[in-house]
Amino acid sequence: MSEVRSFTPSSFQAFLEEGRLMGSRCKACGTLYLPPRPLCPRCGDREMEWEELRGEGEVKAFTVIHVPPTSMAGRTPYAVAVVELKEGPKITARISEGQEVQVGTKVVAEFRKEGDKTLLFFKPLGPTSP
Amino acid sequence: MGLARGVAVVGAGMTRFHHKLHLDKTSRDLFVEAALEALDSVDKGMNLRDIEALYVGNFSSDAFEHQGHLGAIMADWLGVTPVPSVRIEDACASSGVAIQLGILAIASGAFDVVMVGGVEKMRNLSTEEVTDTLAMAADEIYEASVGATFPGLYASMATAHFAKYGSTWEELAAISIKNHHNGSLNPKAQFQEEIMDMARRWGARRGYSFKDEMEFLRSPLNPVVAYPLRLFDCCPTSDGAAVVILASEEVAKKFTDTPIYVRGIGQASDTMALHDREDLTTLKGTRIASRTAYRMAGIEPRDVDLAEVHDCFTIAEVLATEDLGFFPKGEGGKAAVEGRTALDGEIPVNPDGGLKAKGHPVGATGASMVYEVFKQLRGEAGRVQVDDAEVGLIHNVGASGGTVVVQIYGR
Ligand SMILES: [Zn+2]
């Protein structure tokens, strides 16, 4: 059923609402994309299929925001990281509140409701890092 | 690949970049001021009627001033209608790209003389509104709405660079200190003050005293904006405009005996979102655009006498000096600490103070870099003059590297 969803940001969001982290895989060359893309920049093919990622990964870069955009006013500081999933692709997401990460920290996806939207977060795997 | 015919810069002008001076002006006032200064800088004189086309770089007058259609506005208020006028938007690289297109238009044979510039009027909004507007240059869906700010994206590149190369925040601080020093000597700069002088002034007001710059930069007076970047790692927001006049090689000598020639140009795009890039410690666009420009100019990075690079954040200057090939990867910060990029160093970087001290009216920045190179190569750069400057490079980046322009100029 999910297979008929188009490879758009709104489909990606709809999957997050279901607690699923979904990317798209190119049927021609096998490259996996997260966030999902409707065509493959690597080989130019347009045949993609949905694929669920397990949500386990590693922090490749991060920051702690102290001067926020208006949408996050009053909620600083908060950490944002570029996480590389075990399956290969990377994505930008917030780190769950109160958790600290470094480059190299192993993390796992969390789906949290904020307002009327489910957002993707990552939290450190196992014991909280110092 | 080269240009079908030669192109030269024959005039350049800019307003002072500033956060307060221009509050009562609009972008059209600033652009016209810079354009007239450019016109008046033409040695043998030039008339507005000589201008055959107008290119205007601007990021977001729509959000900053509720004004669109800037190409026509500037043509109108400059009095050059009915020549074709175009607005170019590529975030912080808007006027770098505008100049690229102006160069190509002349090289194509379509025009002999074009005016190209950039303008941004940012300071009428609150800091939060400016932060929001600048974030429009990132991927709105997959970066900005997640809470990543523009400083946050460069901060992320910094943590990745620190982890991969063992580079440090102290190295970043050296870049800020160097650029403020250069800015202190540049009459067009927003901040014409050494960091140590600011430390004394701010400290006196708040009851602190600092033994050196580093103590000040580690203090609460230099707060974290996006870890590991602090206030003095970030360029300011600014109002300002810069304009250059380009002419074909055939007609350039009609306007000046000392035109500055375009030797090489390069431009590249990259993914909008950082996370879609293989390497978070390099701007691939810089590598590709600069290699294209070096090849066209027939030179190597070591042949460059001075470089105007896009230091929107201190880490950006580290990435730039590495990706442009001046230093090996991981060595850019160290090179700044050792003074190799200072005014009297082996490759002076941002002699005008860079975005950090000169200011960064987003859409005007690329043109202001060419303004500085024009002055430098003609020996007219005043107290920031680099000795024997014959080859100058400009490097203008859109947001986190989605657009990169590199141009090489020579006498
Ligand atoms: Zn493919």
Side-chain angles (χ1 to χ4, degrees):
Chain A
M1 190 149 155
S2 62
E3 278 71 21
V4 301
R5 287 187 193 167
S6 55
F7 299 94
T8 58
S10 57
S11 299
F12 177 71
Q13 182 60 40
F15 279 123
L16 288 185
E17 300 296 339
E18 298 166 16
R20 302 174 77 191
L21 184 59
M22 298 291 286
S24 67
R25 191 182 284 282
C26 172
K27 285 186 178 176
C29 75
T31 306
L32 177 63
Y33 295 97
L34 178 77
R37 287 173 181 259
L39 64 79
C40 177
R42 181 141 178 255
C43 76
D45 205 86
R46 301 179 204 176
E47 288 285 306
M48 310 294 281
E49 57 189 349
W50 285 106
E51 182 165 318
E52 184 159 5
L53 290 92
R54 281 172 302 165
E56 290 172 22
E58 183 184 315
V59 171
K60 287 291 177 185
F62 75 99
T63 181
V64 183
I65 304 283
H66 289 252
V67 178
T70 44
S71 62
M72 290 295 290
R75 289 194 278 170
T76 55
Y78 60 90
V80 177
V82 175
V83 172
E84 184 174 279
L85 281 305
K86 275 193 171 158
E87 293 87 346
K90 298 190 283 293
I91 193 162
T92 304
R94 263 154 65 197
I95 297 299
S96 303
E97 213 171 307
Q99 306 290 313
E100 283 186 22
V101 295
Q102 300 293 331
V103 173
T105 302
K106 303 273 191 271
V107 292
V108 64
E110 269 199 310
F111 304 90
R112 291 198 186 182
K113 202 100 181 156
E114 225 177 65
D116 55 357
K117 237 175 135 184
T118 300
L119 303 182
L120 172 67
F121 287 79
F122 285 92
K123 64 172 182 190
L125 251 184
T128 308
S129 59
Chain B
M1 211 196 74
L3 299 174
R5 64 174 183 159
V7 180
V9 186
V10 298
M14 67 181 277
T15 67
R16 185 174 172 190
F17 286 179
H18 212 264
H19 50 301
K20 283 190 244 171
L21 265 184
H22 304 308
L23 289 180
D24 60 340
K25 295 176 195 152
T26 63
S27 56
R28 78 185 77 176
D29 303 317
L30 294 169
F31 190 86
V32 168
E33 182 184 329
L36 294 181
E37 188 182 298
L39 212 59
D40 292 344
S41 79
V42 176
D43 296 325
K44 299 181 187 173
M46 181 180 277
N47 189 285
L48 276 175
R49 300 278 85 76
D50 292 319
I51 313 273
E52 298 166 59
L54 178 67
Y55 294 78
V56 180
N58 173 266
F59 169 50
S60 195
S61 59
D62 324 60
F64 287 128
E65 294 183 285
H66 201 73
Q67 177 67 64
H69 208 172
L70 277 215
I73 284 252
M74 299 313 165
D76 179 7
W77 286 82
L78 195 55
V80 297
T81 57
V83 307
S85 62
V86 190
R87 169 190 174 176
I88 291 108
E89 190 275 298
D90 284 297
C92 323
S94 295
S95 59
V97 174
I99 290 171
Q100 200 91 352
L101 296 177
I103 291 168
L104 293 174
I106 289 179
S108 77
F111 307 116
D112 274 318
V113 179
V114 306
M115 181 177 266
V116 191
V119 62
E120 209 76 52
K121 184 75 187 70
M122 308 172 70
R123 295 288 306 185
N124 290 31
L125 299 185
S126 69
T127 303
E128 293 74 25
E129 290 168 319
V130 171
T131 302
D132 284 353
T133 303
L134 292 176
M136 298 195 317
D139 186 321
E140 170 58 25
I141 295 169
Y142 292 119
E143 289 184 323
S145 68
V146 169
T149 58
F150 189 39
L153 295 173
Y154 275 93
S156 300
M157 290 191 250
T159 57
H161 196 275
F162 291 180
K164 183 166 179 187
Y165 295 110
S167 46
T168 63
W169 173 81
E170 284 72 16
E171 293 171 4
L172 303 185
I175 286 171
S176 187
I177 293 167
K178 185 257 300 170
N179 285 346
H180 269 268
H181 170 71
N182 294 353
S184 76
L185 305 171
N186 176 5
K188 299 280 191 179
Q190 179 164 338
F191 300 127
Q192 295 172 23
E193 201 174 17
E194 300 271 4
I195 286 189
M196 199 57 223
D197 292 329
M198 296 178 94
R200 281 194 201 95
R201 201 161 50 80
W202 292 18
R205 229 169 20 202
R206 311 265 294 269
Y208 288 83
S209 74
F210 303 103
K211 66 174 188 321
D212 58 21
E213 288 105 335
M214 292 309 291
E215 194 185 15
F216 166 69
L217 292 174
R218 287 196 189 95
S219 79
L221 297 195
N222 184 25
V224 176
V225 172
Y227 174 88
L229 302 181
R230 292 167 173 257
L231 182 63
F232 276 76
D233 291 296
C234 308
C235 67
T237 57
S238 321
D239 296 333
V243 170
V244 301
I245 299 167
L246 304 174
S248 67
E249 199 164 7
E250 284 95 324
V251 306
K253 285 276 168 86
K254 239 175 63 186
F255 298 108
T256 173
D257 290 331
T258 51
I260 296 307
Y261 295 97
V262 178
R263 299 296 189 199
I265 59 174
Q267 186 181 337
S269 56
D270 197 357
T271 64
M272 278 288 277
L274 274 191
H275 57 236
D276 283 322
R277 300 182 192 165
E278 215 170 298
D279 186 348
L280 303 175
T281 65
T282 197
L283 292 194
K284 194 163 98 188
T286 300
R287 299 176 77 85
I288 294 169
S290 64
R291 294 320 175 261
T292 307
Y294 288 137
R295 206 177 316 121
M296 191 185 294
I299 66 166
E300 302 283 331
R302 64 168 176 276
D303 299 320
V304 175
D305 295 320
L306 70 111
E308 284 282 308
V309 312
H310 200 92
D311 63 317
C312 46
F313 302 93
T314 47
I315 181 65
E317 183 165 318
V318 173
L319 302 181
T321 57
E322 295 170 354
D323 294 333
L324 290 167
F326 300 147
F327 305 107
K329 278 313 284 183
E331 306 276 311
K334 233 171 287 167
V337 172
E338 291 165 0
R340 297 167 72 186
T341 56
L343 275 180
D344 59 354
E346 68 201 66
I347 164 80
V349 173
N350 289 330
D352 61 2
L355 283 59
K356 175 68 200 79
K358 179 183 58 180
H360 182 34
V362 176
T365 288
S368 77
M369 293 171 163
V370 178
Y371 167 92
E372 180 64 17
V373 166
F374 180 71
K375 296 286 175 193
Q376 288 279 352
L377 299 192
R378 285 161 48 108
E380 299 169 345
R383 295 163 75 197
V384 295
Q385 182 65 50
V386 171
D387 291 341
D388 305 317
E390 289 185 6
V391 177
L393 176 148
I394 75 116
H395 164 256
N396 191 197
V397 177
S400 57
T403 299
V404 181
V405 171
V406 172
Q407 290 154 7
I408 297 167
Y409 296 87
R411 284 208 292 234

